[in-house]
């Protein structure tokens, strides 16, 4: 079935970087953009950015520009998001999400990756 | 930066109708989508393009739009509908995605 499977939980120290992977299956990987959304404990959803797996084009929310890098490996149907210069406020669940152009919405969500930033 | 405004909470008795609103200046230009999130789970799309319902979503979920406000209506609310609901859209340029702050639906 159509699914996005993310890498496991991470614990990082302030100032470090974290790289989260998102593997797509059950559909044509290059036909749908992948977005990243995070959620701190007890808080709402926060959009971080997007990537087109076919072209490699990407964009991010102004808040994350310069600190978030998105890449992909089309041979294995996987998108990566790296966040650098981590601080405690980055502690959150990070979701990769498929954007479906037919419905102009996020129709498939990964299971989430918990990233904890703590000294 | 652009914001979508939702009420923090909505309460309703079982069988009644719940209405959750979402306001934003760009909503007349941009579609809105709605997601349901239950504790410990990833969000699920329940309404797209203001008023369309994905397959598998119960008919009691509906959406509407009027000017700068979109609404999610749940008719005949059931206990299983208790969850957080988020609206999502884009700013007027279409370049940036934004989520509302979320509304917690409590079924009394």
């Amino acid at each position: 079935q159509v699914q996005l499977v993310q890498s496991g939980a991470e614990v990082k120290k302030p100032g470090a970087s974290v790289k989260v992977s998102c593997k797509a299956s059950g559909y044509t990987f290059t036909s749908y953009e992948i977005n990243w959304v995070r959620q701190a404990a007890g808080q709402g959803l926060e959009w971080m950015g997007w990537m087109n797996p076919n072209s490699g084009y990407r964009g991010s929310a102004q808040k994350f520009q310069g600190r978030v890098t998105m890449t992909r490996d089309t041979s294995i149907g996987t998108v990566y998001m790296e966040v650098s210069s981590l601080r405690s406020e980055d502690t959150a669940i990070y979701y990769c999400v498929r954007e479906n152009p037919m419905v102009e919405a996020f129709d498939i969500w990964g299971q989430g990756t918990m990233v904890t930033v703590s000294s | 930066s652009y914001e979508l405004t939702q009420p923090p909470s909505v309460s309703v008795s079982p069988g009644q109708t719940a209405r959750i609103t979402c306001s934003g200046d760009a909503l007349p230009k941009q579609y809105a989508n709605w997601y349901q999130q239950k504790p410990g789970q990833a969000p699920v799309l329940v309404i797209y393009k203001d008023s369309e319902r994905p397959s598998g979503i119960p008919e009691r979920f509906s959406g509407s739009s009027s000017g700068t406000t979109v609404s999610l209506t749940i008719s005949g609310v059931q206990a299983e509908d208790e969850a957080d609901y988020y609206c999502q859209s884009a700013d007027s340029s279409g370049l940036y995605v934004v989520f509302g702050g979320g509304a917690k639906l409590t079924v009394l």
Side-chain angles (χ1 to χ4, degrees), chain A residues 35 37 39 43-47 50 60-62 65 95 99 101-107 109-111, chain B residues 1 31 33 35 37 40-45 47-49 84 86 88 95-102:
Chain A
N35 286 244
V37 175
Q39 185 174 38
Q43 302 300 307
L45 302 172
E46 181 176 32
W47 178 74
W50 64 275
S60 61
Q62 291 179 331
Q65 288 174 11
Y95 294 100
E99 182 172 0
M102 297 296 290
V103 301
E104 297 185 36
F106 300 146
D107 67 340
W109 292 65
Q111 84 276 19
Chain B
S1 61
Y31 281 126
N33 307 308
Y35 303 87
Q37 186 180 34
Q41 298 182 18
V44 172
L45 178 68
I47 293 290
Y48 66 93
K49 288 186 179 180
D84 293 325
Y86 294 90
Q88 173 258 311
L95 293 176
Y96 299 105
V97 170
V98 63
F99 286 93

Side-chain angles (χ1 to χ4, degrees), chain B residues 1 5 7 18 22 28 40-42 48 59 70-71 73 77 80 88 102 108:
Chain B
S1 61
T5 302
C22 173
Q41 298 182 18
Y48 66 93
E59 290 184 7
V70 294
S71 301
T73 300
V77 167
E80 67 195 52
Q88 173 258 311
L108 303 171

Side-chain angles (χ1 to χ4, degrees), chain B residues 3-61:
Chain B
E3 294 182 352
L4 295 175
T5 302
Q6 296 182 241
S9 62
V10 174
S11 298
V12 64
S13 299
Q16 299 298 306
T17 297
R19 183 166 173 261
I20 301 172
T21 59
C22 173
S23 298
D25 289 342
L27 288 175
K29 282 187 57 177
Q30 302 289 349
Y31 281 126
N33 307 308
W34 290 92
Y35 303 87
Q36 175 195 68
Q37 186 180 34
K38 296 182 179 180
Q41 298 182 18
V44 172
L45 178 68
V46 295
I47 293 290
Y48 66 93
K49 288 186 179 180
D50 292 345
S51 60
E52 300 296 319
R53 192 174 54 250
S55 60
I57 299 302
E59 290 184 7
R60 63 180 182 273
F61 288 86

Side-chain angles (χ1 to χ4, degrees), chain A residues 33-85:
Chain A
E33 293 180 352
I34 294 292
N35 286 244
W36 290 88
V37 175
R38 75 177 186 180
Q39 185 174 38
Q43 302 300 307
L45 302 172
E46 181 176 32
W47 178 74
M48 300 181 69
W50 64 275
M51 174 170 222
N52 183 308
N54 184 43
S55 65
Y57 291 161
R58 71 211 75 173
S60 61
Q62 291 179 331
K63 173 179 179 178
F64 299 105
Q65 288 174 11
R67 209 161 66 90
V68 168
T69 302
M70 286 169 276
T71 56
R72 88 289 193 202
D73 185 338
T74 55
S75 68
I76 57 172
T78 300
V79 175
Y80 303 90
M81 183 189 66
E82 184 171 21
V83 184
S84 61
S85 303

Side-chain angles (χ1 to χ4, degrees), chain A residues 21-38:
Chain A
S21 68
C22 171
K23 182 172 176 60
S25 61
Y27 71 94
T28 303
F29 173 67
T30 51
S31 295
Y32 298 82
E33 293 180 352
I34 294 292
N35 286 244
W36 290 88
V37 175
R38 75 177 186 180

Side-chain angles (χ1 to χ4, degrees), chain A residues 1-6 22-27 34 77 96 98 108-111:
Chain A
Q1 74 277 28
V2 176
Q3 60 179 353
L4 298 171
V5 178
Q6 300 182 224
C22 171
K23 182 172 176 60
S25 61
Y27 71 94
I34 294 292
C96 63
R98 188 182 85 163
I108 303 295
W109 292 65
Q111 84 276 19

